[in-house]
Amino acid sequence: MRSHLLSRTQFGNPILRRRAKKVALKDVHTQTFETLIARMFFTIQDIGVGLAAPQIGKSIRLAVIDVHPLPHRPDVVPYKRVIVNPKIISYSKSVESDYEGCLSCGGIWGKVPRSKSVAVEYYDEHGEKHREVVRGFLAKVFQHEIDHLNGILYVDRMTDMHTLMTAEEFNKRIRKK
Ligand code: ZN
């Protein structure tokens, strides 16, 4: 059962626009929760670096992050985490625009300005609290996933709609560089 892919909600589904509910920390110790997390990680294997629960039809404050180096971002340090009830405590003033895509937005990419670093607080799958400062690509992933828990999609954050493009164009013109 663990290996089953979860079906994903797509842009237009109202669940992606809702503020998700807090996870009761006692629930993280259940088999249901453990299975859900394993299936979320399995679902994004090879296709994404993060997945928030609303993207699989669950309006709860839970996301998984699985960042690893790839040819177009070789400097990324591997980072795999379950984030429960995450919060951004502070944002760096310096902002950087980079391309983002989303598993709920049908292969469309666009440039999104994000803080270069953020201080975050979250609980892990054991119910333990963490506080850390994340930077660079990982900081963008945290901001993107936490936005999902507040009903915000990356397109809402875009300031230059002329950078919006299909995956085909993105792969041809941006990723190959
Ligand atoms: Zn997304």
Side-chain angles (χ1 to χ4, degrees):
M1 284 301 281
R2 266 170 182 247
S3 61
H4 284 187
L5 278 175
L6 295 160
S7 71
R8 289 183 276 119
T9 53
Q10 295 295 312
F11 192 23
N13 187 318
I15 202 164
L16 291 172
R17 292 316 202 164
R18 215 174 285 158
R19 189 179 160 83
K21 286 202 176 109
K22 268 194 168 179
V23 174
L25 286 180
K26 61 174 172 46
D27 291 345
V28 304
H29 304 290
T30 60
Q31 185 62 49
T32 313
F33 195 80
E34 199 182 306
T35 306
L36 175 66
I37 287 163
R39 292 181 70 186
M40 285 175 78
F41 277 122
F42 185 79
T43 300
I44 59 167
Q45 215 176 31
D46 306 323
I47 59 163
V49 294
L51 185 70
Q55 295 182 277
I56 47 138
K58 292 193 185 299
S59 196
I60 56 170
R61 304 187 79 75
L62 159 72
V64 298
I65 292 174
D66 189 1
V67 161
H68 38 267
L70 282 173
H72 61 282
R73 43 162 202 271
D75 302 331
V76 166
V77 178
Y79 183 102
K80 193 172 178 176
R81 222 54 117 236
V82 173
I83 58 171
V84 176
N85 300 338
K87 257 193 275 190
I88 295 179
I89 310 292
S90 66
Y91 295 83
S92 68
K93 281 206 185 91
S94 64
V95 167
E96 190 175 52
S97 279
D98 203 356
Y99 284 92
E100 289 184 26
C102 177
L103 293 173
S104 300
C105 299
I108 302 292
W109 291 75
K111 263 190 169 177
V112 186
R114 300 273 192 196
S115 287
K116 282 187 181 176
S117 71
V118 284
V120 291
E121 196 178 270
Y122 58 89
Y123 294 85
D124 64 18
E125 67 274 42
H126 309 293
E128 271 171 39
K129 195 174 184 175
H130 298 261
R131 196 181 261 219
E132 62 182 302
V133 176
V134 288
R135 295 183 171 80
F137 180 69
L138 185 58
K140 289 163 193 173
V141 175
F142 263 92
Q143 289 170 81
H144 181 118
E145 298 312 328
I146 294 174
D147 268 354
H148 272 304
L149 307 181
N150 295 322
I152 297 165
L153 296 168
Y154 80 86
V155 286
D156 306 334
R157 301 268 189 209
M158 287 181 64
T159 49
D160 181 2
M161 297 310 274
H162 290 176
T163 64
L164 207 56
M165 62 179 76
T166 63
E168 195 182 333
E169 283 296 318
F170 178 73
N171 287 328
K172 203 156 58 185
R173 298 171 43 208
I174 310 294
R175 196 171 261 179
K176 289 271 166 68
K177 273 181 191 166

